[in-house]
Amino acid sequence: MGGHFWAHIATWTFLCSVRVVRTDQDLEQDFDLNILPDVTKVNISQDEYVRMMTTYLHRLRDSADHDAVVPDLKIFDAEQNTWRRRKKCITRLKFPKMRLNPNTDIEQAELRMLMSEFPDAEAPVIQIYQIIGLRRRRLIEERQAYLSTNASKWCEFDITNGVRAWLLNGDRNFSLELQCSQCNTSVLQPLQVALSILGYSDKRRVRRASPYHDNNQQGGRTDCTTNSAKQRCCRHSLTVSFKDLKVPQISSIIQPKSYEAGFCKGRCPYNYNHATNHSRIQSLVHKLDRKAVPRVCCAPSKLAPLDILRVDPYDFTKLNVEKWDNMRVLECACS
Ligand SMILES: *[C@@H]1O[C@H](CO)[C@@H](O)[C@H](O)[C@H]1NC(C)=O
Ligand SMILES: *[C@@H]1O[C@H](CO)[C@@H](O)[C@H](O)[C@H]1NC(C)=O
Ligand SMILES: *[C@@H]1O[C@H](CO)[C@@H](O)[C@H](O)[C@H]1NC(C)=O
Ligand SMILES: *[C@@H]1O[C@H](CO)[C@@H](O)[C@H](O)[C@H]1NC(C)=O
Ligand SMILES: *[C@@H]1O[C@H](CO)[C@@H](O)[C@H](O)[C@H]1NC(C)=O
């Protein structure tokens, strides 16, 4: 009998929690965000990348205020030729048509390649060198690429620093070398190569669209003004870089790479910046009896969404433009 009773409770609880998930939109959305794609399977073609990146940039332009600048997307194709040197296979890529205004401010440069099948290994470590002279090259990126042993596959490398350095030096042609120094036999053979650059055509325009630099927040009502340790509750600035969060699946977020998230911190003295009438009452009760209820604390009182370009969790060959709610703190209050 007892066993039956508990089984009954368990079933009932299960049904209840399912109902809660189904009726609560926020929960359902969070649930969806937990289904992060397996990054080793992601295979986004250049066409899909350009199409969805353009959609994303349009979305930013629509949601940014009028003075803010959204970067432009520029694509450069490579002229390829391959040769061997010191027994190691090296693939050299040249970008002869790459001409950028020297005033361009580079937000991001990505080398995207359709790599032919790679029988050596599924995840070789690939080095990318920038050619800086007749016999000189500089390592600008090294990371594991998820290739396939029996099919071609798209992969991408962040070469922002290389392109920035090239632009600073100016005159020389931009060329790169791909190498897999730990690989034994297979040749790194790109079938298609494109360099995708997000840049601002004029450095002097400093006001930029929100995900990159949070100009919407400059002089926000509750922004911190001083840096003292005993500060009252206010909004501090905090730039979050998705890469630094060290969650591998987060690399399925294509844009933005980082954004101004902000956070709330500070003292909440009696009667200071109450979020709600309830917090006013709670702080009164706290004043009467410190042990009965805790002091109100500094917390976000106004949040804003963030536009995200990411890999479709149900289809590794597609990108989605999404609006994630409550990603940025605009204001803080005692709550
Ligand atoms: C490459 O070399 C490593 C270590 O020497 C070996 O384990 C691996 O099987 C080799 N792969 C191929 C494809 O020869
Ligand atoms: C490639 O190999 C994987 C397993 O390693 C297999 O699932 C897939 O069907 C193969 N693809 C082709 C095109 O042979
Ligand atoms: C990756 O996508 C390309 C088309 O863009 C396709 O030809 C290739 O077979 C795909 N590779 C895998 C491993 O799915
Ligand atoms: C740059 O590329 C052009 C066209 O390929 C070539 O004529 C020129 O010699 C190159 N310059 C340098 C410095 O390599
Ligand atoms: C408290 O309630 C009044 C009456 O509804 C409202 O006007 C006021 O904005 C509320 N104050 C706060 C801080 O929520």
Side-chain angles (χ1 to χ4, degrees), residues 79 96 99 171-173:
E79 172 193 272
R99 294 285 172 263
D171 51 359
R172 284 182 228 99
N173 287 335

Side-chain angles (χ1 to χ4, degrees), residues 110-124:
E110 245 168 352
L111 182 68
R112 307 197 74 256
M113 297 182 285
L114 178 61
M115 303 297 281
S116 63
E117 59 199 59
F118 195 73
D120 251 27
E122 298 236 323

Side-chain angles (χ1 to χ4, degrees), residues 119-120 184-185:
D120 251 27
N184 326 350
T185 51

Side-chain angles (χ1 to χ4, degrees), residues 298-333:
C298 185
S301 56
K302 192 172 166 193
L303 293 134
L306 182 70
D307 291 312
I308 298 264
L309 175 65
R310 69 155 180 157
V311 177
D312 185 330
Y314 303 103
D315 183 347
F316 301 131
T317 64
K318 294 270 183 296
L319 295 177
N320 286 342
V321 176
E322 298 171 354
K323 202 178 265 298
W324 288 12
D325 287 334
N326 301 335
M327 288 287 282
R328 298 182 291 139
V329 174
L330 300 187
E331 288 178 9
C332 305

